[in-house]
Amino acid sequence: MLYYGTCYYPEHWTAEQAKQHIPLMKKAGINVVRMAEFAWCKFEPEAGRYRFDWLDPVIAALHEAGIATVLGTPTCIPPQWALQRYPGMLQVDADGRTRNPGARCHCCKNAPAYQALAEGIVREMARHYAAMDGVIGWQIDNEFGCHGTTRCYCGHCEKAFREWLIEKYATEEAVNEAWGTAFWGFDFRQWAEIPLPRTMPTGSNPGHWLDFVRFCSDTQIKFHKAQYDVLKGLCPDHFVTHNFMGRFGEIDYYKLSDHVDRACWDNYPDPWGDPYAPAYAHEITRSFKGTFWVMEEKSGPTGDASTGLLGEQPEPGQIRRWFWQAVANGADGIAFFRWRACLTGAEQYWHGILDHDGVPRRRYKEVRRTGEELAKVAPEIAGTRVEAKVALIRNFDTLWSSERQPGASGLSYDDHCFEMYRAVKRRGLNCDIVDTTADLSRYRAAIAPALSIVTEDLAQKLTAYVLAGGTLVLTPQSGTRTATNAMADVPKPGLLAELAGVTIEEVRPYHHGQTNEISFARGPLIAETCKVGTWVEMLECTTAEPIAECRDEPFASKPVIACNSHGKGSVYYMGVHLPPATLLTFLGSLLPQAPIQDLPAGVEVTQRTNGDKGLVFVINNSRERQPVVLDKQYPELLSGETVGPEVTIAKNGILILRA
Ligand code: GLA
């Protein structure tokens, strides 16, 4: 079943106002709502006294109307009485300032009082709702780490960090060894001497930093897991999820997703931003479990809680397009945020399907029309999934290492992953975004951008993948570090040098926008030149064949891109960041061929399949009508007509082709 939903806050509305909501939802085709994730104070108005009577009739009325309920555990905002009683559960920032209550996400997940209170409310809710008709699932908390709150520097965290280190290293000497504390006299004799990396006169020890951010990520996961276990114990028939934040880089979502039944994320696309950005986050989230939901999907202008600014109004057709883009990339459920704009509170400007007055206008009509379309094609989509032939490895240890030390100004690991992803996507291919632990054997090509932290096991795994016939793409900074964030003491790219058939002779970071010209000696770009900058690595080919080389002195004729054939496969080492157009051609030549090619910029093609049947989605995310040449004629499901091979797709247009 495909879910079409909205985020609903009955606590914001009078009974009279609420009465009008459910019939309107039903008319729009809504079949699920998410509720209650901020309503702890309604559920537990006094310590240990629980009330559900405010919500139960709403769940019952929704159920009566055929609308299911996903409940949020409301743990990101404890009631005010709890904060009065346990002020020590507030977070502390890196400068030692306590984070004030009044908004959300201000409590420390290592504070024992907060852990106990959270466990209490979740257990009571789970008991109460386990058998209630209409309730199908749970969202744990809300957007862990939102508003920069993943990392807390309070006393509870300091204690828990030391315990985490004891568990990991057993002795102080092992920590000293791992972090290389001989540098700047940072040796520890006792656990109690180990601080958190709070704001200090200059940058922290990278080993210390990496373990701290790993610990902060683990803290979130542990807090989540405690709730997951309670919910699965008491409500075995309900699914449990958490709403991730797409590209958010402070929590290892691969580890977190071991403890969800379904992956979800919250999608707030910039109406005029890069259309591949939501696709990237969709594919990140899909890759955790194979399918996903968008638990919050933009359906009106945003309204930032801190700046108080009203965001852009989605253009006609954009809400529908964003919806279908999610489905095209594998979503099986989408809930619009939010049903109706709130009259009070910090998000007064954050609009939903309805405006403040609850009058159904253009956005409601678009949601309704999209709901009708979904009803029409849902039977064809049900049971299909995206099956990607290309994987992009995006690893959190590497992301964190580069957060601390990007290497050159303007370099961002995640932006680099996105730029590589974009080049895949522009070829009309889906791409799984996987961790280093993934089974790569089902992918024809794997791209591992700037994979700096490489262990022996990982090097062996990548080697086995290539030997068996895989194509592996490596880019600057690969293999430079160990698991403790130390630099590798062997020629770069470290443990990947033999596999790549190159060593890095010299690195040139360009901090002031200078560039270097390179020319291609082989491949689809032969004899072409382009300019590269930011970070350039001069290669020495041991067994690899040079593909592109530097033209500028003092490095003229030094290889910067090379290909090494290894067993049945090959490894491409790119020591440069290519400009987008060059990258598109170069990478495209290494990837499997997509059925529909030469896509205009902004036109996205994806496929869902279940073996017997296949669907091809063609979406025009650009601002103009676009011509597309399909590989043949197809029945198009939304219009019921046969289209192709030549088609023109309107701005915000969508084709769903039966393959
Ligand atoms: C996030 C949160 C929501 C809401 C929206 C809009 O995604 O999960 O509670 O705050 O942003 O700001």
Side-chain angles (χ1 to χ4, degrees), residues 9 34 37-38 104 139 142-143 146-147 243 245 266-268 296 302-305 337-338 347 350:
Y9 299 92
R34 183 204 61 187
E37 76 277 13
F38 303 122
R104 59 181 177 181
Q139 170 191 297
N142 189 73
E143 293 188 342
C146 185
H147 314 305
N243 52 340
M245 293 188 282
D266 297 342
N267 181 26
Y268 293 98
E296 297 179 16
T302 56
D304 191 80
F337 187 88
R338 47 186 287 151
E347 291 190 343
W350 203 290

Side-chain angles (χ1 to χ4, degrees), residues 257-570:
S257 62
D258 286 343
H259 312 291
V260 298
D261 306 320
R262 167 170 287 152
C264 294
W265 84 286
D266 297 342
N267 181 26
Y268 293 98
D270 173 353
W272 299 117
D274 188 326
Y276 299 98
Y280 180 48
H282 288 319
E283 300 213 64
I284 286 176
T285 314
R286 186 197 64 240
S287 302
F288 299 131
K289 293 280 176 191
T291 65
F292 70 104
W293 279 24
V294 177
M295 193 55 102
E296 297 179 16
E297 173 84 28
K298 182 161 161 174
S299 63
T302 56
D304 191 80
S306 61
T307 60
L309 299 176
L310 179 65
E312 302 222 33
Q313 180 73 253
E315 281 219 335
Q318 278 183 327
I319 296 173
R320 169 179 178 263
R321 167 164 65 79
W322 292 327
F323 168 82
W324 282 116
Q325 186 182 31
V327 174
N329 283 289
D332 283 342
I334 285 119
F336 293 104
F337 187 88
R338 47 186 287 151
W339 171 245
R340 176 171 168 182
C342 197
L343 307 182
T344 57
E347 291 190 343
Q348 283 168 314
Y349 277 161
W350 203 290
H351 287 66
I353 300 172
L354 302 181
D355 294 319
H356 297 104
D357 57 8
V359 175
R361 297 197 173 85
R362 168 179 74 80
R363 296 194 307 275
Y364 174 84
K365 289 181 192 144
E366 189 168 322
V367 168
R368 188 171 157 182
R369 171 184 165 209
T370 309
E372 284 160 8
E373 286 181 341
L374 176 65
K376 187 164 151 195
V377 299
E380 303 258 3
I381 297 172
T384 61
R385 290 173 162 237
V386 171
E387 282 174 14
K389 295 193 182 78
V390 180
L392 184 137
I393 297 175
R394 179 174 179 266
N395 170 258
F396 280 90
D397 278 352
T398 292
L399 190 151
W400 293 328
S401 169
S402 86
E403 179 186 341
R404 170 74 187 80
Q405 294 173 302
S409 53
L411 261 192
S412 141
Y413 171 73
D414 198 44
D415 287 350
H416 178 44
C417 287
F418 177 55
E419 108 194 290
M420 299 300 281
Y421 166 80
R422 216 171 172 283
V424 177
K425 193 72 174 167
R426 286 224 36 206
R427 305 295 295 199
L429 293 165
N430 274 107
C431 181
D432 282 351
I433 318 291
V434 302
D435 195 9
T436 46
T437 51
D439 172 13
L440 296 176
S441 63
R442 62 195 164 112
Y443 301 108
R444 302 253 299 276
I447 303 168
L451 185 62
S452 62
I453 295 191
V454 175
T455 61
E456 291 278 359
D457 284 354
L458 178 56
Q460 277 174 20
K461 176 185 177 148
L462 294 174
T463 304
Y465 170 69
V466 176
L467 286 173
T471 299
L472 176 67
V473 181
L474 302 170
T475 73
Q477 303 190 345
S478 295
T480 48
R481 290 170 183 266
T482 72
T484 60
N485 214 9
M487 302 305 292
D489 68 350
V490 289
K492 298 177 179 64
L495 299 176
L496 301 176
E498 195 185 330
L499 176 61
V502 297
T503 56
I504 312 303
E505 204 175 312
E506 182 159 334
V507 174
R508 285 240 133 176
Y510 290 99
H511 292 287
H512 303 291
Q514 302 110 312
T515 55
N516 216 315
E517 189 163 68
I518 65 166
S519 66
F520 285 80
R522 286 186 180 73
L525 289 157
I526 189 160
E528 291 199 22
T529 62
C530 70
K531 293 208 184 293
V532 294
T534 314
W535 181 284
V536 178
E537 294 176 354
M538 313 303 161
L539 314 179
E540 186 69 42
C541 291
T542 49
T543 55
E545 217 178 4
I547 290 190
E549 56 187 41
C550 227
R551 284 163 67 100
D552 292 338
E553 293 298 348
F555 299 104
S557 79
K558 278 284 168 210
V560 289
I561 302 179
C563 172
N564 197 32
S565 303
H566 207 65
K568 294 186 191 151
S570 6

